[in-house]
Structure formats: C-alpha cells, structure tokens
Amino acid sequence: MTLTVETRHAVHEDHAKGMDTAELRKHFLAGGMFAEGEIRLTYTHYDRFTVGGAVPNGGSLTLGKVDETRTETFLERREMGIVNIGDTGTVEAAGETYEMNKGDVLYLGMGSGAVTFKGQGRFYITSCPAHHTYPSRLITVADCKEVKMGETATSNKRTIKMFVHPLVMESCQLVMGYTSLEEGSVWNTMPAHVHDRRMEAYLYWGMAPESRVLHLMGEPTETRHLFVANEEAVISPTWSIHAGAGIGEYTFIWAMAGDNVDYTDMDFVQPAELR
C-alpha cells in the first residue's frame, strides 16, 4: 500500500494578496487525492485539519500510523468523517465493519485505531483533533438532515444534506455534509460568508470531466479565484470567503473544524461589499 502525506502550512491573508495563480493553487487547492490502490492525505495547519482520498480499487487499504501526528495511530487523538463518492465499499475500524453506498457518511470517534478501506468505494477522508470519544456511526443518505435553500431566480436553489452535524449526532469539532445544486442553478453559496471561528474544506464532485467550478476565495475586499475540477478540494482559511459557480451539475462536500459546531455561525458578506 502507498500512503502519501502532503503538509500545507497556514497562510496569512496579507501574504495571499500577493500570490499569483500558481501560488494560490499550490497553497489552497488539493488535487490528485484519488489514486487507485493508494491513500493520499493533505495535512494542514488550519486547525490541523486533514483531507484525503482512499481508493482500494477492489482490494484493501489500511490507514494506521501517520508520521505527521507522532501518534501510534492516526485516530489516537482525532476523529474522522468519511464520504463514499464511488461504488459500494466497506470500512473497518475498532472491530466493526460498515458497508457504505454512494453518498453515505461514516463518523469514526477518537481512538478508533487503524482504518481499513475495501471494495469499489471511493472514499473521501476528513479528520481533525478531538478531545472526547463520541460513538462511531454510519449515517446513510436516508438518515441525514435535509434542508432546501435558495431560489431559481437567484441561480442558487440547492439541497443541503447534513450528516456529522448537531441536528443528527454529536462530534467534537467536525461538522460535515454536502450540498447539491438544482438543475439550472450554479451558485453554491451566495451571499458569501466568512467564519473566523472555523476553517473549512470543500471537495467538488459529481462533475463531468470537462466541467469546472469557479471557486471564490480571499478576503471580502481582496477576492481571488480558483478554477476547480472534479474531485479537487479547496482549503479555506478562516479569513477567506468561500463561494462559487459551476458549469453543469456538481455537488460539494463541506467539512469544518474550529471553536464550535454551530453550522449557522457565519458572517455574511453581501455582493455589493465584495471586491
């Protein structure tokens, strides 16, 4: 098995103002995470949040020790949220086996030990430090909390599915779910917002190979952008807005960690205020 870990250090907003396109992508875009027969992680210094992909390709992959944490197992002092964005597969941890269909989410509590991925799943991994062990839980699409938002008139009619969320279950820091755009809508979040209490990561998926999402980032009065392809993630610092518009159908998985688990804790920035 191949395990690859890339480290991303935190970037100050003043530094980001002077970045060109290549440097913005180097620091804030995580691509190439889904490789057959591999686990690839991006370990960030934003609340020590980690994103990654595991593609067992019909075989078996085990995530155990990760040198960057200097712990016996990766989850010794961490919790994890996993989304299956592929065909049916299984995840094994702490003596339990969980069958995951496409769109299902698995929460693993702190101390779950090594995690083994099997089958034809395409597993998106998120993880952050934890202070307490909450029970592991498989949350199927039928079990999530679903919220409809937006309007056709403003091109942001969307369905938000909440999985690792206070309305569904308890966790330490991790909050996770995903948002799908209705046909004819392109804006995933507008008005844009920031939340200084939490960082966030976005994984865009379900897109055609030729499609792209124009992801908006940066300070509200110093916005920047990234063109994002299918199965690429954006690492969003606390000082950055996060919004975007896409070509064709897409879904984005949002995952956050920080001082609280209040999904509504955000400071909106109206379009007229953006620069």
Side-chain angles (χ1 to χ4, degrees):
M1 186 205 80
T2 300
L3 170 65
T4 304
V5 184
E6 180 185 355
T7 297
R8 300 286 182 94
H9 291 278
V11 174
H12 192 276
E13 53 263 48
D14 289 346
H15 181 192
K17 290 178 184 179
M19 289 183 175
D20 63 13
T21 299
E23 197 169 5
L24 284 169
R25 294 176 72 86
K26 175 184 175 183
H27 286 279
F28 300 108
L29 185 67
M33 291 188 295
F34 298 91
E36 292 184 359
E38 297 185 32
I39 297 175
R40 295 184 178 182
L41 302 178
T42 300
Y43 175 86
T44 84
H45 284 252
Y46 300 103
D47 292 291
R48 303 290 169 168
F49 201 82
T50 301
V51 298
V55 187
N57 194 32
S60 176
L61 297 171
T62 298
L63 178 59
K65 187 172 184 177
V66 175
D67 288 342
E68 281 69 12
T69 65
R70 295 298 191 270
T71 53
E72 286 303 311
T73 61
F74 185 56
L75 293 184
E76 184 174 314
R77 297 176 61 83
R78 286 176 160 267
E79 58 188 350
M80 179 179 286
I82 302 165
V83 187
N84 183 10
I85 63 172
D87 294 330
T88 300
T90 62
V91 177
E92 299 174 2
E96 298 290 334
T97 299
Y98 305 90
E99 183 174 88
M100 298 184 68
N101 296 313
K102 187 174 184 178
D104 289 346
V105 173
L106 175 62
Y107 171 82
L108 295 177
M110 182 180 72
S112 292
V115 183
T116 299
F117 304 89
K118 293 182 178 180
Q120 298 299 329
R122 208 167 174 83
F123 300 100
Y124 175 54
I125 299 166
T126 66
S127 177
C128 60
H131 59 272
H132 178 80
T133 299
Y134 286 102
S136 297
R137 179 179 170 184
L138 175 65
I139 311 110
T140 67
V141 175
D143 296 329
C144 76
K145 172 69 174 178
E146 190 174 283
V147 177
K148 302 282 187 179
M149 292 189 71
E151 299 177 7
T152 302
T154 48
S155 301
N156 67 347
K157 192 173 183 180
R158 59 202 189 272
T159 301
I160 300 172
K161 289 183 168 66
M162 303 170 178
F163 290 83
V164 184
H165 187 284
L167 294 177
V168 180
M169 56 163 289
E170 286 188 292
S171 64
C172 290
Q173 291 194 72
L174 184 64
V175 181
M176 172 192 259
Y178 51 81
T179 300
S180 300
L181 280 295
E182 300 286 337
E183 186 175 354
S185 287
V186 296
W187 283 103
N188 58 47
T189 305
M190 189 56 69
H193 64 268
V194 295
H195 31 71
D196 194 52
R197 280 71 56 190
R198 298 192 306 267
M199 64 78 62
E200 189 163 3
Y202 274 37
L203 179 83
Y204 291 98
W205 67 293
M207 298 163 56
E210 67 275 10
S211 293
R212 294 293 183 272
V213 169
L214 175 65
H215 180 93
L216 301 178
M217 60 164 294
E219 294 177 274
T221 57
E222 285 282 350
T223 58
R224 301 292 186 266
H225 69 266
L226 299 167
F227 277 99
V228 184
N230 189 46
E231 296 186 354
E232 291 185 329
V234 176
I235 300 162
S236 186
T238 60
W239 46 263
S240 177
I241 66 166
H242 29 285
I247 303 168
E249 183 180 1
Y250 72 96
T251 294
F252 69 96
I253 300 171
W254 41 266
M256 298 175 277
D259 274 332
N260 65 50
V261 292
D262 181 1
Y263 179 79
T264 63
D265 177 17
M266 56 188 77
D267 303 314
F268 284 101
V269 183
Q270 298 302 319
E273 301 173 66
L274 295 172
R275 296 291 184 271

